[in-house]
Amino acid sequence: MRSTSFVTRNHRGKGEVWYQGAVFNEQAASKIIDQIGLKSPADWIDLPEEMEFQIRNGASSSYTFVLNYSETPASIHLHETKTDLLSGKTLSGEVTLEGFGVLILH
């Protein structure tokens, strides 16, 4: 068997990208995250497991995409005020997304 890394880190510009090439459970993933000192880039949002969020950073702005993968409504909690770019509404506190709903927050 060839010896290769299952987790690698590559620096790109001012940031970095982590790749993992293994299948493991949540307990193993948590241990790796703790050992390498990763912190959430979004401590300003709480969301349930059926939702996903992604952050995209540009030269002057950051955008967060929140996707509800469930067919039923689900709530998130925003600890900071954000603007939903799809509706133009200012959001904070408890926010409910309809089933398969999407937010783009700025």
Side-chain angles (χ1 to χ4, degrees):
M1 181 189 299
R2 204 170 68 164
S3 175
T4 58
S5 300
F6 76 98
V7 176
T8 60
R9 176 176 59 178
N10 293 310
H11 294 278
R12 298 287 183 253
K14 294 181 182 178
E16 60 188 22
V17 179
W18 289 80
Y19 298 95
Q20 65 87 14
V23 177
F24 45 84
N25 62 24
E26 187 174 339
Q27 181 182 8
S30 293
K31 188 170 184 172
I32 292 168
I33 288 168
D34 290 343
Q35 286 181 344
I36 61 178
L38 288 179
K39 302 292 181 214
S40 173
D43 57 359
W44 51 267
I45 185 172
D46 296 324
L47 60 154
E49 286 187 19
E50 63 268 16
M51 289 194 186
E52 174 186 324
F53 80 96
Q54 298 179 16
I55 300 173
R56 298 289 184 254
N57 293 309
S60 62
S61 294
S62 177
Y63 302 96
T64 301
F65 297 80
V66 181
L67 300 100
N68 180 3
Y69 286 127
S70 173
E71 64 184 33
T72 59
S75 295
I76 63 172
H77 186 86
L78 299 175
H79 300 284
E80 295 179 2
T81 300
K82 299 289 182 181
T83 300
D84 174 25
L85 297 179
L86 297 175
S87 69
K89 294 180 182 177
T90 300
L91 306 174
S92 64
E94 201 76 17
V95 177
T96 301
L97 270 77
E98 69 273 5
F100 304 114
V102 176
L103 294 173
I104 301 176
L105 302 176
H106 182 262

